[in-house]
Amino acid sequence: MKPTIGKTEAGEDLAVSGTITISASASDNIGVTTVQFYQDGNYINQDTTAPYSISWNTSTVSYGLHVLTSRAYDAAGNSNVSSPISVIVTDTTPPTTSITSPKNGTMVSGVITVAAAAFDNVGVTRV
């Protein structure tokens, strides 16, 4: 008999960032041996004791939509996959900016050009 696995959960919000806990419930008539967790079909990690959960560092993946699933295995080698859930990994790092011209303390008059430098881990869209 295949293990029964509940929905994989990643918290209450679809938008996630940082390190989050992913959990799943699983049961079987002869016992669940392992629950593996996947992001976009790629293995993340596994847990061998109930309650089944892992920590997922979202900073290791691209920003945007990702699909999480889990797969439970029983002692006979049977397995079953959970229903997928979708999460959106969000950027929580603010950009940095500084004025590069004119230099601090410079006396100016008339029409001048002001220049700035801006940096962000994802990209700057406007200054």
Side-chain angles (χ1 to χ4, degrees):
M1 171 181 258
K2 287 186 175 187
T4 302
I5 188 157
K7 186 175 181 179
T8 300
E9 300 202 12
E12 296 177 15
D13 297 327
L14 290 179
V16 297
S17 63
T19 300
I20 65 165
T21 299
I22 305 171
S23 61
S25 60
S27 61
D28 185 72
N29 63 329
I30 61 171
V32 173
T33 59
T34 304
V35 174
Q36 295 179 337
F37 294 87
Y38 296 85
Q39 168 252 311
D40 300 328
N42 298 308
Y43 173 83
I44 304 171
N45 207 337
Q46 65 186 22
D47 194 356
T48 57
T49 11
Y52 305 101
S53 66
I54 62 162
S55 293
W56 180 42
N57 183 354
T58 64
S59 67
T60 64
V61 300
S62 62
Y63 297 108
L65 184 67
H66 293 280
V67 176
L68 302 176
T69 56
S70 56
R71 177 181 288 274
Y73 291 87
D74 69 11
N78 299 310
S79 69
N80 203 3
V81 177
S82 69
S83 298
I85 64 163
S86 297
V87 295
I88 300 169
V89 175
T90 59
D91 175 18
T92 59
T93 304
T96 59
T97 186
S98 61
I99 295 176
T100 58
S101 176
K103 297 292 182 200
N104 190 23
T106 303
M107 298 277 292
V108 295
S109 64
V111 177
I112 63 163
T113 300
V114 176
F119 302 95
D120 187 66
N121 61 323
V122 176
V124 176
T125 58
R126 65 180 178 262
V127 177

